[in-house]
Amino acid sequence: SSGINAEWPLRPGEINETFNVSIPYIQMRAVKIRDSKFGTALVVESLKNAGGYVLGFRIDPVEKLNEVMKEIHSLYRVYSANPVFGVQYQIEERLEPIDQLTIQYEEDDIEITNDNPSSDAFVAYYADNNKGTDSEPVFCEQLGLAIESIKDGFTLESLWEVTGI
């Protein structure tokens, strides 16, 4: 069982003859016996994220109340030893310890050089003091559409090389 189910009769003349509730153990905050305006009662509190309900159940005689309380605590202990979270799984393989999976870092023996002078186009456009304003558009026959005018010393091809396309 993964929770408690409670059912009790309502007053005669009500639409439903009985009322019931199921409370999963995982949502239970506390189960205790307390005095209430109806006499000594079994009180079940749910966690705040499960509604934060406080449900009271009067059980007569008091000996039966104590018996129910002990049974709920016993069932809860059994559940807690091996809880059911709704998903059944089975570990098929054991993972190796992290120190066995760690690979020693080795620094690469490479040197980065700038053999492509056209990559300076990217820098030139971003280093421009007027980068907040667009330059006058011009028609580009090669593309068949209007583009921002290309800075002196650069070609359309050199701009495409910046993006690697």
Side-chain angles (χ1 to χ4, degrees):
S1 169
S2 62
I4 60 171
N5 299 309
E7 183 175 306
W8 62 97
L10 296 177
R11 288 179 230 118
E14 294 283 332
I15 295 174
N16 291 329
E17 302 256 335
T18 60
F19 190 75
N20 66 64
V21 66
S22 295
I23 306 167
Y25 292 123
I26 199 167
Q27 294 180 351
M28 292 167 86
R29 182 173 172 268
V31 178
K32 53 191 165 190
I33 295 176
R34 242 178 35 190
D35 286 330
S36 74
K37 65 180 181 180
F38 302 106
T40 305
L42 174 72
V43 176
V44 180
E45 296 178 31
S46 69
L47 295 170
K48 187 172 183 158
N49 63 357
Y53 298 107
V54 178
L55 305 171
F57 304 94
R58 182 173 165 194
I59 302 172
D60 290 325
V62 175
E63 294 78 27
K64 183 71 172 170
L65 173 66
N66 291 327
E67 211 176 289
V68 170
M69 175 73 167
K70 286 179 186 175
E71 184 69 20
I72 290 174
H73 278 276
S74 173
L75 290 169
Y76 182 77
R77 279 193 298 276
V78 169
Y79 169 80
S80 297
N82 192 14
V84 177
F85 297 113
V87 176
Q88 300 297 322
Y89 69 96
Q90 194 170 22
I91 299 174
E92 294 180 4
E93 69 178 64
R94 295 277 177 200
L95 298 176
E96 295 180 41
I98 191 71
D99 58 331
Q100 292 180 7
L101 297 174
T102 304
I103 299 171
Q104 186 65 32
Y105 172 76
E106 294 180 23
E107 195 169 315
D108 293 333
D109 187 25
I110 60 169
E111 183 180 333
I112 300 173
T113 60
N114 186 3
D115 292 340
N116 185 0
S118 65
S119 67
D120 292 338
F122 188 71
V123 173
Y125 273 83
Y126 277 96
D128 187 4
N129 286 337
N130 297 323
K131 62 184 170 195
T133 60
D134 294 334
S135 62
E136 193 65 32
V138 294
F139 181 75
C140 175
E141 290 184 28
Q142 217 174 342
L143 296 175
L145 51 92
I147 63 170
E148 188 176 318
S149 59
I150 299 173
K151 292 189 180 293
D152 291 336
F154 298 101
T155 64
L156 185 61
E157 290 78 17
S158 68
L159 294 178
W160 282 109
E161 290 174 8
V162 170
T163 64
I165 297 177

